[in-house]
Amino acid sequence: MAKIYLAKPYGFCSGLKKALSLINDCEKKYQHIYCLGELLHNPLVIKDLQKKGIKMIKEKDIDFLNNLSKEEKKVTAVIIRTHGISELILKKLENFGINIINTTCGYVKRVCLIAENLKKEGYWVVIVGDSGHPEVKTIKSFLAGRALIFKRNLNFKKYPKIGVIAQTTLAEDSYQEALVDIIHQGQPKELRIFDTICPEVKKRQKEVKKLAKEVDLMIIVGGKNSANTKRLVAIAKKAGCKTIWISTGEELKKYQIPFKKFGKIGIASGTSTPEEFVNLVIKNLKKEVTER
Amino acid sequence: MAKIYLAKPYGFCSGLKKALSLINDCEKKYQHIYCLGELLHNPLVIKDLQKKGIKMIKEKDIDFLNNLSKEEKKVTAVIIRTHGISELILKKLENFGINIINTTCGYVKRVCLIAENLKKEGYWVVIVGDSGHPEVKTIKSFLAGRALIFKRNLNFKKYPKIGVIAQTTLAEDSYQEALVDIIHQGQPKELRIFDTICPEVKKRQKEVKKLAKEVDLMIIVGGKNSANTKRLVAIAKKAGCKTIWISTGEELKKYQIPFKKFGKIGIASGTSTPEEFVNLVIKNLKKEVTER
């Protein structure tokens, strides 16, 4: 019978746990709570938050908040999600006089601070990450015209001083590959490289890399729009392990996989996957392993 | 008939030209001139200097200078060569009250300053270069216990902040290889890389790399104990070109090479090779090409 191995840590990352606890604290305090963008990349969790009355709004639509009356503003709050927000929008909200629940992750704050300092010291800053990701947009906002999004064979020669940072959820291997590409392009006068990958993300990636080599099947649990979950899937596949990616415990049945035929099954989860989801996967998997 | 191509720049580098001019200026001013170590890595030039009365002495033997009388000290000078010297020895000489002719190359001064600043800011400093070279010893003296000489698979993980610098005469390719090796070992929290290779050395290397691909034979002129000349030879060979390394114009005959059979012949020189040597090689080569 199949043995199940759970990669740790699992469930929400510490940043999200803190964010959700902050939001929880003020659910009774405010009548209207808005979140700028989706709080996290997990549609089911988002649905739960919406049920509680939290509305997801887009940055471009925030102006209505300024038109609220003084009394309405008192009972309204805006959540800044863990990915952070541009300095410009934050200033705007502050000027609105609206309540702000800032849940920006500490690791994102750190990379923004590094970016800002690099800019002040005259560096051009290369961000290794996904240009469309909200975190990268936040970081960019601290760099004005000094940001370069990494791509292969970008010509760095015209920039004498270059700083390099990574999106906090980037895979370590991808960062390494990007750095080697930069080095191969010839040396700027000064090159400054910061390890800004979140230690928890790093630990999950490391665990998946290790576990995928030991088990016969890897199940990665997380939202299909979660970048860090996507990376765990890629890492498991790269290690040569048969890998499935599910969002919920129920999805397991869809695959029609004879789970009990596998000797060892590994489970890992993205940072925006609640612990309960993972527990449900384990529960359902145990059923599958014994029933089928 | 063979065509001759000369890689530029050739002859002494600007640092050595300046050093020799400084020495020239004070030859009449002082009765006794000592040089700490060999001024440059070219035995014939050294012989010339010795003929002029300049004595090469070792660092460990400098104490006799302190025992000179006040009058003797007035007419005695010590040359600090382009490779620089440790802070400790410099201080010692200053305390002796002896005249110092400091010809330390500007590029060496720059790398020492970078090293010192990195140390002050809490970095461990990796020097990519030859641990036995006087320049590397000079740089190390600014780093106290914070210096690490680069070698493959050195374990950098225990150092959170790492600065990397290169010996000024290192080949660009070697620096790049070392940096990739460092990157592959996993990221320190912060990695700071400086391009400290001398621009003139770099230019010579680039020219040799290019020329070696175009000609049928490369002749590198320079002292057999000159590290930068040795690198030019390696670069030409790596480019797949037949390469000979000679110290003087006379040495050309030794090789018994049918020079006129070659379509294109390239000539390049190390930074410690006088222009006259290169001119003599060209003169003798022209003779060989027409006579043999």
Side-chain angles (χ1 to χ4, degrees):
Chain A
M1 200 170 74
K3 255 192 151 177
I4 298 164
Y5 298 82
L6 180 60
K8 281 168 193 169
Y10 67 101
F12 287 140
C13 65
S14 55
L16 261 177
K17 272 185 194 156
K18 199 177 158 193
L20 288 163
S21 131
L22 277 170
I23 295 164
N24 216 27
D25 285 351
C26 56
E27 269 169 17
K28 282 161 203 153
K29 205 171 161 191
Y30 301 108
Q31 284 176 29
H32 309 286
I33 303 180
Y34 297 96
C35 181
L36 277 192
E38 297 206 319
L39 183 77
L40 45 78
H41 293 141
N42 194 310
L44 292 170
V45 181
I46 292 293
K47 260 189 195 162
D48 260 8
L49 291 167
Q50 283 168 331
K51 267 185 213 159
K52 284 181 176 178
I54 296 172
K55 295 173 198 75
M56 311 292 153
I57 54 169
K58 288 180 178 165
E59 282 183 20
K60 63 177 178 65
D61 300 327
I62 58 172
D63 286 341
F64 79 94
L65 293 165
N66 201 24
N67 299 328
L68 300 177
S69 69
K70 225 173 180 176
E71 287 312 302
E72 284 172 320
K73 279 184 183 173
K74 270 187 191 161
V75 291
T76 302
V78 176
I79 300 166
I80 309 295
R81 57 187 171 169
T82 54
H83 308 112
I85 203 163
S86 75
E87 280 284 88
L88 200 75
I89 301 284
L90 187 62
K91 284 260 150 56
K92 205 170 172 180
L93 289 170
E94 283 169 355
N95 288 336
F96 286 177
I98 207 98
N99 300 292
I100 298 168
I101 306 161
N102 195 338
T103 75
T104 308
C105 162
Y107 294 116
V108 176
K109 276 186 193 159
R110 179 179 167 256
V111 57
C112 290
L113 192 69
I114 290 172
E116 201 178 11
N117 285 338
L118 284 170
K119 190 197 75 180
K120 275 184 196 158
E121 290 178 35
Y123 292 84
W124 287 82
V125 180
V126 178
I127 307 169
V128 186
D130 169 12
S131 63
H133 196 280
E135 182 194 315
V136 173
K137 285 181 181 167
T138 301
I139 301 169
K140 262 185 83 173
S141 82
F142 286 85
L143 285 166
R146 288 263 166 184
L148 301 165
I149 302 293
F150 173 79
K151 57 179 181 184
R152 280 221 173 277
N153 298 320
L154 192 61
N155 186 359
F156 296 112
K157 278 178 197 155
K158 51 183 172 175
Y159 310 106
K161 285 168 81 181
I162 288 183
V164 191
I165 52 182
Q167 183 176 341
T168 59
T169 51
L170 191 74
E172 271 194 291
D173 289 359
S174 307
Y175 198 30
Q176 220 171 57
E177 279 167 29
L179 295 175
V180 170
D181 187 83
I182 292 168
I183 298 280
H184 277 150
Q185 287 184 51
Q187 287 251 253
K189 265 193 186 166
E190 196 190 331
L191 179 64
R192 213 162 160 179
I193 298 165
F194 289 84
D195 180 7
T196 56
I197 301 175
C198 158
E200 204 167 304
V201 164
K202 219 181 254 188
K203 204 169 177 192
R204 287 182 198 231
Q205 290 173 352
K206 204 175 160 189
E207 284 298 305
V208 166
K209 201 172 176 178
K210 197 177 144 217
L211 197 55
K213 281 176 193 158
E214 294 165 2
V215 299
D216 310 303
L217 173 71
M218 272 301 293
I219 302 173
I220 310 288
V221 194
K224 290 287 159 77
N225 53 347
S226 154
N228 83 82
T229 307
K230 192 177 171 182
R231 284 196 192 100
L232 294 182
V233 175
I235 289 167
K237 283 185 177 169
K238 203 178 168 188
C241 188
K242 184 177 168 65
T243 305
I244 60 172
W245 178 359
I246 58 173
S247 311
T248 64
E250 286 80 13
E251 253 184 70
L252 213 56
K253 286 172 199 157
K254 272 204 233 161
Y255 280 89
Q256 297 285 330
I257 288 179
F259 292 102
K260 65 176 164 190
K261 283 192 180 163
F262 289 95
K264 292 173 179 179
I265 300 174
I267 298 177
S269 81
T271 53
S272 50
T273 310
E275 209 174 306
E276 306 86 83
F277 281 33
V278 182
N279 292 337
L280 187 64
V281 171
I282 295 173
K283 195 180 147 194
N284 289 349
L285 186 62
K286 279 185 178 162
K287 240 192 265 172
E288 292 281 332
V289 164
T290 46
E291 281 173 14
R292 277 179 194 255
Chain B
M1 201 169 75
K3 253 189 152 179
I4 298 164
Y5 298 82
L6 179 59
K8 283 168 191 169
Y10 66 102
F12 287 140
C13 64
S14 54
L16 260 178
K17 273 184 194 157
K18 199 176 156 195
L20 287 164
S21 133
L22 277 171
I23 294 165
N24 215 27
D25 285 351
C26 58
E27 270 169 16
K28 282 162 203 153
K29 205 171 160 191
Y30 301 108
Q31 284 176 29
H32 308 286
I33 304 180
Y34 297 96
C35 182
L36 276 192
E38 296 207 321
L39 183 77
L40 45 78
H41 292 141
N42 195 309
L44 290 171
V45 181
I46 292 293
K47 258 189 197 165
D48 258 8
L49 292 167
Q50 284 168 329
K51 267 185 212 160
K52 284 179 175 178
I54 296 171
K55 293 172 199 76
M56 313 292 153
I57 54 169
K58 288 179 179 167
E59 282 182 20
K60 65 175 177 64
D61 300 328
I62 58 172
D63 286 341
F64 79 93
L65 293 164
N66 201 24
N67 299 329
L68 300 177
S69 71
K70 225 173 182 177
E71 288 312 302
E72 282 171 321
K73 279 182 185 175
K74 269 187 192 162
V75 292
T76 302
V78 176
I79 301 167
I80 309 294
R81 56 188 172 168
T82 55
H83 308 112
I85 203 163
S86 75
E87 280 284 89
L88 200 76
I89 301 283
L90 186 63
K91 284 259 152 56
K92 203 170 173 182
L93 288 171
E94 283 169 355
N95 288 338
F96 285 178
I98 208 100
N99 300 292
I100 297 168
I101 306 162
N102 195 338
T103 76
T104 308
C105 163
Y107 295 114
V108 176
K109 275 185 194 161
R110 179 178 167 258
V111 59
C112 290
L113 192 69
I114 291 172
E116 201 177 12
N117 284 338
L118 284 170
K119 190 196 76 181
K120 276 183 194 158
E121 290 177 35
Y123 292 84
W124 287 83
V125 181
V126 178
I127 307 168
V128 186
D130 169 12
S131 63
H133 196 280
E135 182 194 316
V136 174
K137 286 181 183 169
T138 301
I139 301 169
K140 263 185 83 174
S141 81
F142 286 84
L143 285 166
R146 287 264 167 185
L148 301 165
I149 301 294
F150 173 79
K151 58 178 180 187
R152 278 219 176 278
N153 300 320
L154 192 60
N155 188 0
F156 296 113
K157 276 177 197 156
K158 50 183 172 174
Y159 311 105
K161 287 169 80 181
I162 288 183
V164 191
I165 52 181
Q167 182 176 343
T168 59
T169 50
L170 191 73
E172 271 194 291
D173 290 359
S174 308
Y175 198 28
Q176 221 171 56
E177 279 167 30
L179 295 175
V180 170
D181 186 84
I182 292 169
I183 299 279
H184 277 151
Q185 287 183 53
Q187 287 250 252
K189 266 194 185 161
E190 196 190 332
L191 179 65
R192 211 162 164 181
I193 298 164
F194 289 84
D195 180 7
T196 55
I197 301 175
C198 159
E200 203 167 302
V201 164
K202 218 182 255 190
K203 205 169 176 192
R204 287 183 197 229
Q205 290 172 352
K206 204 174 159 189
E207 284 296 307
V208 165
K209 202 173 176 177
K210 198 178 144 218
L211 196 56
K213 281 176 191 156
E214 295 164 0
V215 300
D216 310 302
L217 173 71
M218 273 298 295
I219 301 173
I220 311 287
V221 193
K224 291 286 159 77
N225 54 345
S226 154
N228 83 82
T229 307
K230 192 177 173 183
R231 284 194 194 101
L232 294 183
V233 173
I235 289 167
K237 282 186 177 169
K238 204 178 167 187
C241 188
K242 183 176 168 64
T243 305
I244 59 173
W245 178 359
I246 58 174
S247 311
T248 64
E250 285 80 13
E251 252 184 71
L252 214 56
K253 287 174 200 157
K254 272 204 235 161
Y255 280 88
Q256 295 286 332
I257 288 179
F259 291 102
K260 65 177 166 186
K261 282 191 181 165
F262 290 95
K264 292 172 178 179
I265 300 173
I267 298 176
S269 80
T271 53
S272 48
T273 311
E275 210 174 307
E276 305 87 81
F277 280 33
V278 182
N279 292 336
L280 187 64
V281 171
I282 296 174
K283 195 179 147 194
N284 288 349
L285 186 61
K286 280 185 178 162
K287 238 191 269 175
E288 292 281 333
V289 164
T290 47
E291 281 175 14
R292 276 178 195 254

